[in-house]
Amino acid sequence: MPMPLPDTIAIDGPAASGKTTVGLLLARRLGYLCLDTGSMYRALTLAAIRRHVRPDDEAGIVRLAHECDLDVMPLAGETDGRLYTVLLDGEDVTWELRLPVVDAYVSQVSTYPEVRAEMVRRQRAFGRRGGVVMIGRDIGTVVLPEAALKLYVTASAEERAQRRLVDRRRQGHYDDDYETILADVVRRDHHDSSRQHSPMRPAADALQIDTTGRTVEEVMDQIMALFNGIPSQERA
Ligand code: CDP
């Protein structure tokens, strides 16, 4: 049964599942705002690395979570392949968020309940604007449980690692290898889904979409077919 266009769309899923690609395309197609919440946890992790706060220093990380100024902004004509721009205390850190050292620590930094409470507070404030697509691990379960549409985007770990490898090569990182990326994806999935506080999992009412072996266009067609008043062209 097609549904009216939902005002708020929650998209969750494991590392490199394609949820960000799908979320950004969906937001563009609907003329909605989009927030990739992973970028907030990544920016906080980068802030900790820069200020020499160790990832196991919970009190230090919590303090930083309250102090740091984070902004995720839509593209404004940049042509360097970024999907959005992230500002940390006013500085553009978009590319640094993808450093392997950030991948290594972000799951631990994201475990602390007080860190999550502060990030969720900021994410809900964004969600209140309406016309929003929000992407993460706990959006449908914790951040926006009232979202009218919840998607849980998955793919096999092998395919996700392969996609991330292609992304990295496209960004000029030729020294990454498939086995290392696969190990990081599997390690983060395990950490994110087994943590005590808001673990990664599909909401009971989420539509699960397995993107293994499917193109972005096929996945987008499946999602757009859910709606009955589909905009004929992109609004933004
Ligand atoms: O792009 P990728 O799927 O590799 O990761 P991401 O979405 O940028 O998220 C990076 C990390 O942030 C995840 O592995 C989680 O540890 C954490 N995260 C979270 O705990 N809750 C969210 N809502 C989003 C991300």
Side-chain angles (χ1 to χ4, degrees):
M1 261 287 280
M3 64 193 298
L5 274 184
D7 188 49
T8 307
I9 301 175
I11 305 184
D12 292 297
S17 56
K19 59 189 183 302
T20 306
T21 305
V22 163
L24 284 162
L25 277 174
L26 190 55
R28 196 184 303 162
R29 194 81 71 88
L30 302 180
Y32 283 16
L33 297 167
C34 186
L35 177 62
D36 179 9
T37 62
S39 69
M40 298 173 67
Y41 291 98
R42 285 176 178 272
L44 174 61
T45 304
L46 181 67
I49 294 165
R50 285 179 166 188
R51 296 199 204 173
H52 305 288
V53 178
R54 289 163 41 120
D56 61 357
D57 173 4
E58 181 168 354
I61 300 281
V62 167
R63 203 172 318 116
L64 259 189
H66 287 283
E67 280 172 15
C68 66
D69 185 10
L70 303 178
D71 247 312
V72 187
M73 310 203 307
L75 290 182
E78 295 86 349
T79 53
D80 60 359
R82 66 181 60 205
L83 301 174
Y84 43 71
T85 293
V86 183
L87 301 182
L88 169 62
D89 295 323
E91 183 191 338
D92 182 352
V93 294
T94 312
W95 288 118
E96 274 173 275
L97 299 188
R98 298 286 150 190
L99 289 171
V101 66
V102 174
D103 284 331
Y105 293 136
V106 64
S107 284
Q108 185 173 4
V109 165
S110 312
T111 313
Y112 303 128
E114 279 187 69
V115 165
R116 302 202 68 84
E118 174 58 18
M119 293 299 134
V120 168
R121 188 187 64 74
R122 297 181 190 208
Q123 291 155 11
R124 285 191 181 140
F126 187 93
R128 276 195 291 276
R129 301 181 199 183
V132 163
V133 176
M134 203 175 294
I135 307 161
R137 301 286 187 291
D138 58 344
I139 310 304
T141 50
V142 174
V143 182
L144 303 170
E146 71 289 355
L149 176 63
K150 299 175 187 176
L151 304 175
Y152 194 83
V153 179
T154 59
S156 71
E158 291 73 20
E159 181 150 338
R160 290 186 283 124
Q162 186 57 40
R163 289 179 190 163
R164 183 57 44 100
L165 182 68
V166 171
D167 281 350
R168 297 285 296 166
R169 296 259 152 94
R170 206 179 291 136
Q171 292 159 11
H173 302 285
Y174 295 100
D175 44 353
D176 295 332
D177 68 277
Y178 170 80
E179 294 301 334
T180 309
I181 293 180
L182 177 62
D184 175 66
V185 158
V186 170
R187 179 188 59 80
R188 274 197 294 130
D189 286 354
H190 176 71
H191 206 290
D192 294 343
S193 54
S194 60
R195 70 180 170 224
Q196 212 185 345
H197 202 272
S198 33
M200 170 177 77
R201 61 180 168 79
D205 52 348
L207 171 68
Q208 300 206 33
I209 299 181
D210 187 344
T211 67
T212 309
R214 298 171 68 199
T215 64
V216 174
E217 291 71 29
E218 285 166 351
V219 174
M220 285 302 295
D221 286 347
Q222 180 188 354
I223 297 171
M224 295 309 287
L226 296 172
F227 311 131
N228 50 29
I230 303 173
S232 57
Q233 59 188 47
E234 293 174 3
R235 282 197 235 155

